[in-house]
């Protein structure tokens, strides 16, 4: 029996070594999560505005257009419950923060990252932000979230081609260049993407609504204790996307945002969903801004914060 066990062990040993090596090497690839966490932990890097949220912030809020020092701590698909955890875990390192900006968009109150189709992204918070998630064991490992071909491609890209996975700049903003396509071609592409995106963002039920609204209330209370103002905004989207949204889900979102802003004196809300200053050429797809659109949104948010500064 001992001899059999030894043979099995020796047979499996190379496989375990290969898996361990693959996991170690994948975790060593620089990415946005490690980079942004370093900034959040660095007490020497002080800023006064922290921008949270999903891809609408990631591609839509450019800190260079704010008068106060600003950092974009958003990630693609980051949901409001994850935003709250980041604030709870990391804000203690940033005593200089006066404002937190957060989008409250069509899908914000109806989804949670850990419960959706992109829940594999939760492993990035477990592995690189040290946030505990006890209900999904596989999020403790890179190799359990991708098939072998994807992992091999990532390893090849970094260790052979020298291409890391950092896609944001030093202030956390990810640039999407303005398209050089014709207005007609761009309009057609936005309308095509709107059909798929509006369908994906429309929730099948309200199952996460109560949870997310309570998370936002907890966030507002925590920020108020630290004398921080929460600037909520609804991100601008192309008209082709807005036209396809479910009226009930949209009105429920906007109604909550307006009433929520009245519940606490440290909340300020503004709705940019159909703001006319955003034109077709400001969008990279039906619900994401390019860097020109991000310029406009960042200037608008900066103006709101400046108004709040003057009112103090």
């Amino acid at each position: 029996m001992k001899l059999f066990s030894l043979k099995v062990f020796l047979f499996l040993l190379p496989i375990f070594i290969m898996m361990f090596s693959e996991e170690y090497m994948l975790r060593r690839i620089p990415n946005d999560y490690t980079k942004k966490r370093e900034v959040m932990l660095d007490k020497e890097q002080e800023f006064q505005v922290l921008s949270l949220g999903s891809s609408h912030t990631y591609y839509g809020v450019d800190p260079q257009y704010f008068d106060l020092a600003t950092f974009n701590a958003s990630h693609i698909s980051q949901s409001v419950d994850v935003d709250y955890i980041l604030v709870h875990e990391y804000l203690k390192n940033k005593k200089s923060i006066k404002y937190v900006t957060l989008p409250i968009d069509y899908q914000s109150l109806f989804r949670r990252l850990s419960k959706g189709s992109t829940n594999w992204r939760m492993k990035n918070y477990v592995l690189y932000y040290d946030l505990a998630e006890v209900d999904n064991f596989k999020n403790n490992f890179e190799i359990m979230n991708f098939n072998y071909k994807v992992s091999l491609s990532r390893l090849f890209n970094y260790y052979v081609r020298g291409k890391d996975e950092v896609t944001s700049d030093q202030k956390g903003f990810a640039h999407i260049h303005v398209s050089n396509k014709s207005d007609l071609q761009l309009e057609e592409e936005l309308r095509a993407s709107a059909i798929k995106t509006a369908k994906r963002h429309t929730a099948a039920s309200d199952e996460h609504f109560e949870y997310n609204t309570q998370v936002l209330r907890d966030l507002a209370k925590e920020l108020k204790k630290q004398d921080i103002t929460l600037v909520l905004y609804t991100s601008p989207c192309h008209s082709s996307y807005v036209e396809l949204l479910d009226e009930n889900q949209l009105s429920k979102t906007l109604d909550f945002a307006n009433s929520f802003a009245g519940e606490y004196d440290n909340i300020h809300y503004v709705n940019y969903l159909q703001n006319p200053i955003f034109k077709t050429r400001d969008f990279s797809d039906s619900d994401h801004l390019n860097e020109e659109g991000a310029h406009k949104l960042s200037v608008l948010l900066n103006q709101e914060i400046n108004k709040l500064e003057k009112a103090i």
Side-chain angles (χ1 to χ4, degrees):
M1 184 63 185
K2 288 184 178 178
L3 181 59
F4 174 75
S5 298
L6 179 61
K7 288 182 177 179
V8 171
F9 173 75
L10 292 175
F11 175 77
L12 294 176
L13 183 60
I15 298 175
F16 287 138
I17 291 175
M18 186 175 68
M19 292 173 63
F20 175 82
S21 300
E22 181 184 345
E23 177 70 26
Y24 176 80
M25 293 175 73
L26 285 169
R27 292 193 192 190
R28 300 284 295 176
I29 299 174
N31 59 60
D32 280 329
Y33 297 86
T34 53
K35 181 182 170 184
K36 292 192 177 186
R37 179 174 182 261
E38 286 174 2
V39 174
M40 296 291 280
L41 285 174
D42 186 356
K43 295 183 179 178
E44 298 299 318
Q45 292 197 51
E46 293 190 348
F47 39 84
Q48 293 161 294
V49 180
L50 179 68
S51 288
L52 295 171
S54 63
S55 55
H56 289 175
T57 303
Y58 189 66
Y59 299 114
V61 176
D62 188 345
Q64 71 169 311
Y65 299 113
F66 287 70
D67 294 324
L68 299 179
T70 299
F71 183 69
N72 185 330
S74 66
H75 292 284
I76 294 172
S77 297
Q78 188 164 289
S79 51
V80 295
D81 52 338
V82 179
D83 288 318
Y84 172 71
I85 295 172
L86 292 181
V87 165
H88 183 74
E89 294 293 326
Y90 288 95
L91 213 59
K92 56 182 177 290
N93 298 306
K94 299 296 179 186
K95 302 298 184 184
S96 58
I97 292 179
K98 299 174 68 176
Y99 301 93
V100 168
T101 70
L102 180 69
I104 182 163
D105 295 323
Y106 175 66
Q107 71 276 25
S108 299
L109 303 178
F110 295 85
R111 60 176 287 273
R112 294 177 62 191
L113 177 58
S114 60
K115 307 297 181 185
S117 59
T118 58
N119 59 358
W120 59 268
R121 293 184 187 276
M122 282 302 299
K123 58 94 178 168
N124 294 318
Y125 298 95
V126 175
L127 296 176
Y128 305 116
Y129 274 104
D130 286 339
L131 302 184
E133 192 196 25
V134 296
D135 60 347
N136 197 337
F137 178 75
K138 75 174 188 178
N139 283 338
N140 292 286
F141 301 95
E142 284 277 5
I143 60 175
M144 295 184 72
N145 282 279
F146 299 106
N147 63 43
Y148 184 71
K149 287 184 178 179
V150 173
S151 295
L152 196 61
S153 175
R154 295 175 64 198
L155 292 172
F156 180 82
N157 281 336
Y158 180 63
Y159 291 101
V160 178
R161 299 175 61 191
K163 186 177 181 181
D164 64 30
E165 297 179 349
V166 176
T167 55
S168 60
D169 64 18
Q170 291 298 314
K171 293 185 176 181
F173 171 65
H175 297 256
I176 299 180
H177 299 304
V178 179
S179 173
N180 56 9
K181 296 175 180 174
S182 69
D183 289 354
L184 179 61
Q185 189 177 6
L186 188 59
E187 182 79 19
E188 289 176 349
E189 289 185 1
L190 295 185
R191 291 196 173 279
S193 74
I195 297 171
K196 296 179 181 177
T197 307
K199 183 178 181 180
R200 187 175 73 251
H201 288 173
T202 299
S205 72
D206 293 358
E207 63 176 322
H208 301 307
F209 183 84
E210 292 300 326
Y211 180 88
N212 284 328
T213 52
Q214 184 57 50
V215 164
L216 287 174
R217 289 189 171 93
D218 292 341
L219 174 63
K221 291 175 185 174
E222 182 142 348
L223 293 178
K224 186 173 176 59
K225 289 178 184 175
Q226 301 179 61
D227 200 23
I228 295 172
T229 298
L230 176 60
V231 179
L232 291 175
Y233 63 96
T234 298
S235 305
C237 291
H238 191 257
S239 57
S240 60
Y241 169 82
V242 179
E243 290 166 1
L244 298 174
L245 301 183
D246 176 77
E247 289 184 10
N248 182 55
Q249 181 173 328
L250 180 60
S251 63
K252 201 167 181 178
T253 299
L254 299 181
D255 288 348
F256 172 79
N258 282 302
S259 65
F260 182 49
E263 292 180 29
Y264 302 89
D265 58 9
N266 66 321
I267 297 179
H268 182 76
Y269 171 66
V270 60
N271 183 356
Y272 300 127
L273 181 62
Q274 297 183 83
N275 189 306
I277 75 164
F278 294 95
K279 310 299 183 186
T280 294
R281 298 205 69 80
D282 295 323
F283 293 91
S284 64
D285 60 31
S286 62
D287 70 316
H288 291 106
L289 297 168
N290 57 33
E291 58 188 8
E292 281 300 317
H295 181 183
K296 291 182 178 179
L297 176 60
S298 302
V299 168
L300 288 174
L301 285 171
N302 182 56
Q303 289 172 350
E304 293 299 323
I305 289 173
N306 285 343
K307 289 179 191 173
L308 294 169
E309 280 285 282
K310 290 178 181 177
I312 294 176

